Amino acid sequence: MIRVLAPGDADALARMLSRCSPMTSYRRFHGVVTEFPPGYLRRCLSGEHVAMVAEEDAEIVALASVGPVFEEPGVHEVAMIVEDRWQSKGLGRELVVTLLAHAGVAVVRMEVCQTSLLDYLTRSLPVVASHHHGCDTTLDLDVRSAVEQWRKLRDDGRERTDITPQPS
């Protein structure tokens, strides 16, 4: 189930992060962390950033957020972390598209490590701007087409329901 993050979700987020590998943590935070940065967590829990989670068996297994880039008015940045056993199932993509449809933004910035996600994004969405730095790439993406596709699937009753976790 995908839902909006609630103010009381801090403990569930901490448990989810503790189940993530150091590589997953690194890919999300560009460094290995054992807890969410306090400022980011506060912005997500307070609603300053639009944040959504995916749950399974009453446990959060993924978090995605979108919030303003303070130095650049009108630019929004997307961040996402998916627990390891749920990766490569399409859950992250579904969560981000649901988030973007809910947030109503058209162009977003994502900082992406050199992974299959980078390949997917650049193949699937119009890239407005791209900057490479080290092993990371910053993309400004026009997400309107992905949001419209998701809305059409939702309206046609064809939302994904086949997402299952990888064995632990």
Side-chain angles (χ1 to χ4, degrees), residues 31-166:
V32 178
V33 301
T34 57
E35 62 184 34
F36 284 95
Y40 171 71
L41 185 60
R42 178 189 48 75
R43 287 187 294 275
C44 287
L45 292 170
S46 72
E48 186 178 332
H49 285 191
V50 178
M52 300 189 88
V53 294
E55 285 185 318
E56 180 64 27
D57 296 327
E59 280 293 328
I60 292 175
V61 298
L63 165 70
S65 66
V66 61
V69 176
F70 298 110
E71 307 83 36
E72 298 181 58
V75 177
H76 292 81
E77 186 170 40
V78 171
M80 175 183 59
I81 186 167
V82 177
E83 191 177 316
D84 295 59
R85 69 189 184 112
W86 286 87
Q87 293 175 10
S88 301
K89 297 286 186 185
L91 177 63
R93 183 170 53 244
E94 183 177 359
L95 179 60
V96 167
V97 170
T98 302
L99 170 75
L100 295 174
H102 181 78
V105 297
V107 176
V108 297
R109 177 166 295 158
M110 293 182 82
E111 189 127 343
V112 185
C113 293
Q114 301 287 22
T115 64
S116 60
L117 176 61
L118 177 62
D119 295 336
Y120 170 78
L121 291 171
T122 56
R123 273 193 333 269
S124 305
L125 298 171
V127 176
V128 177
S130 175
H131 306 283
H132 301 281
H133 39 94
C135 68
D136 296 332
T137 301
T138 301
L139 298 172
D140 288 357
L141 300 164
D142 182 336
V143 295
R144 289 173 284 208
S145 61
V147 169
E148 287 307 313
Q149 180 183 8
W150 176 84
R151 285 185 176 143
K152 182 174 178 3
L153 290 173
R154 181 196 60 202
D155 293 345
D156 291 347
R158 294 184 289 150
E159 292 179 90
R160 285 187 56 133
T161 58
D162 62 340
I163 298 173
T164 56
Q166 296 175 354

